Amino acid sequence: MTANPDFVKFIEEAPGQFMPSMSVDCVIFSFHEYELKVLLLKIHFEQKWSHPGGFIFKHEHTNDAATRVLKERTGLDKVFLQQFHVFGEPDRSDTAIHENNMIRNGVRYNRATHWILQRFITIGYYALVEFSEVSPLPDVLSEYCQWWNINQLPAMMMDHGQILQKALEALRLHINYHPVGYNLLPKKFTMPELQKLYESILGKNLDRRNFQRKILGYQILKRLKDKKKGVAYKSPYLYSFDLRKYHKALKEGLKGGW
């Protein structure tokens, strides 16, 4: 089996570059065809999937590390990122994955002392991206980089299922204080699309009339003259966010529960 020179170089050079036992993992959310989606990677020769993650340079801010890792592993750049949790369970790392990769690539290692086989604490970030504006690509370590419906997920590595659930919990808490809708929806959207986004994040159905009354009451939307084309039933009006009013409202928090 041919060794992956990028992987070998990374393993050999990493100890002098990165913080020991620290990493970042990015949960990437998007919204498409009325479904909340998450972007996952599957590395070569592994069956389980993972969030894009990586290590922190010794003189690098953790926020900068998350931005860099996201771009390196998926090609995504200039997206909304929010730190949400630190994951520090003593047994969260799966050393067998790293050992298998080193064996396949002919890397000599000492199981007791090799840096990548030690305990790792990871800082979780979630990213919000508009589906039509990004074209994710797998990195050299990955076979696939693919969107998944959050309710139809594949088997996931290590504690990455727990990381996703924590990210969802954080997103639900932040929905009234961060520009969630602005970052996940296209510039023009319908009221049903906005409601479905909120329902997908909150994990429950919302009454149509109450939702519309409440969201319009915040005065953060502008109804456009255009209507959505190509729908089977009555064409709904298109809306956009009034960004000045939206950001002002988020500073105070969108009052009232959903």
Side-chain angles (χ1 to χ4, degrees):
M1 185 178 297
T2 304
N4 182 336
D6 293 314
F7 176 80
V8 175
K9 181 180 180 182
F10 168 74
I11 288 294
E12 292 176 346
E13 295 181 357
Q17 297 179 341
F18 297 113
M19 291 287 297
S21 299
M22 292 289 294
S23 63
V24 293
D25 280 291
C26 301
V27 181
I28 309 168
F29 291 113
S30 192
F31 186 71
H32 183 59
E33 294 181 344
Y34 292 91
E35 293 180 347
L36 186 64
K37 297 181 180 293
V38 63
L39 187 66
L40 300 177
L41 295 176
K42 190 176 87 65
I43 64 175
H44 293 290
F45 308 109
E46 295 296 333
Q47 298 303 311
K48 295 183 178 181
W49 295 68
S50 66
H51 303 294
F55 306 103
I56 305 166
F57 286 120
K58 288 183 176 180
H59 301 289
E60 185 179 37
H61 194 288
T62 54
N63 293 348
D64 296 331
T67 299
R68 174 182 53 78
V69 165
L70 196 60
K71 185 174 182 180
E72 289 176 351
R73 303 221 58 193
T74 68
L76 300 185
D77 193 17
K78 298 179 181 179
V79 300
F80 178 90
L81 270 173
Q82 175 67 42
Q83 185 183 134
F84 68 92
H85 196 72
V86 174
F87 299 86
E89 290 295 327
D91 59 350
R92 63 169 302 275
S93 299
D94 189 344
T95 58
I97 294 172
H98 302 306
E99 284 196 86
N100 288 340
N101 268 325
M102 288 192 287
I103 291 170
R104 291 190 190 100
N105 287 279
V107 177
R108 292 187 177 185
Y109 67 95
N110 184 315
R111 179 181 293 180
T113 60
H114 197 279
W115 71 276
I116 207 169
L117 301 180
Q118 306 310 303
R119 174 186 176 184
F120 269 85
I121 295 171
T122 196
I123 303 171
Y125 287 80
Y126 68 74
L128 306 177
V129 300
E130 204 279 287
F131 189 88
S132 66
E133 294 184 356
V134 297
S135 300
L137 295 171
D139 64 349
V140 295
L141 301 178
S142 306
E143 186 177 7
Y144 298 111
C145 179
Q146 182 177 321
W147 291 108
W148 290 83
N149 183 321
I150 61 165
N151 297 313
Q152 298 174 335
L153 296 170
M156 299 183 70
M157 290 169 49
M158 297 167 35
D159 59 349
H160 283 225
Q162 179 190 356
I163 291 175
L164 174 58
Q165 289 306 311
K166 283 288 185 181
L168 268 173
E169 290 174 11
L171 193 58
R172 288 167 185 159
L173 291 173
H174 296 167
I175 200 168
N176 288 343
Y177 299 94
H178 292 303
V180 173
Y182 175 71
N183 285 284
L184 289 176
L185 289 169
K187 290 182 174 60
K188 298 178 181 180
F189 53 87
T190 66
M191 189 64 71
E193 287 172 329
L194 180 60
Q195 179 173 338
K196 188 60 180 178
L197 171 62
Y198 271 67
E199 290 178 338
S200 299
I201 293 172
L202 297 171
K204 63 181 181 181
N205 294 326
L206 301 173
D207 180 79
R208 181 181 64 84
R209 290 184 178 179
N210 286 341
F211 176 82
Q212 183 167 325
R213 175 183 53 79
K214 183 175 291 187
I215 203 74
L216 290 177
Y218 295 133
Q219 299 182 338
I220 61 176
L221 300 180
K222 295 186 291 186
R223 194 174 86 167
L224 308 177
K225 295 180 179 180
D226 302 333
K227 293 186 177 182
K228 188 175 181 68
K229 298 178 181 179
V231 295
Y233 303 101
K234 183 179 178 181
S235 299
Y237 278 101
L238 290 168
Y239 289 81
S240 66
F241 285 107
D242 184 319
L243 290 183
R244 184 181 63 82
K245 293 182 178 179
Y246 189 27
H247 287 294
K248 181 180 179 181
L250 289 175
K251 286 183 180 179
E252 300 175 356
L254 304 182
K255 307 300 182 182
W258 297 99

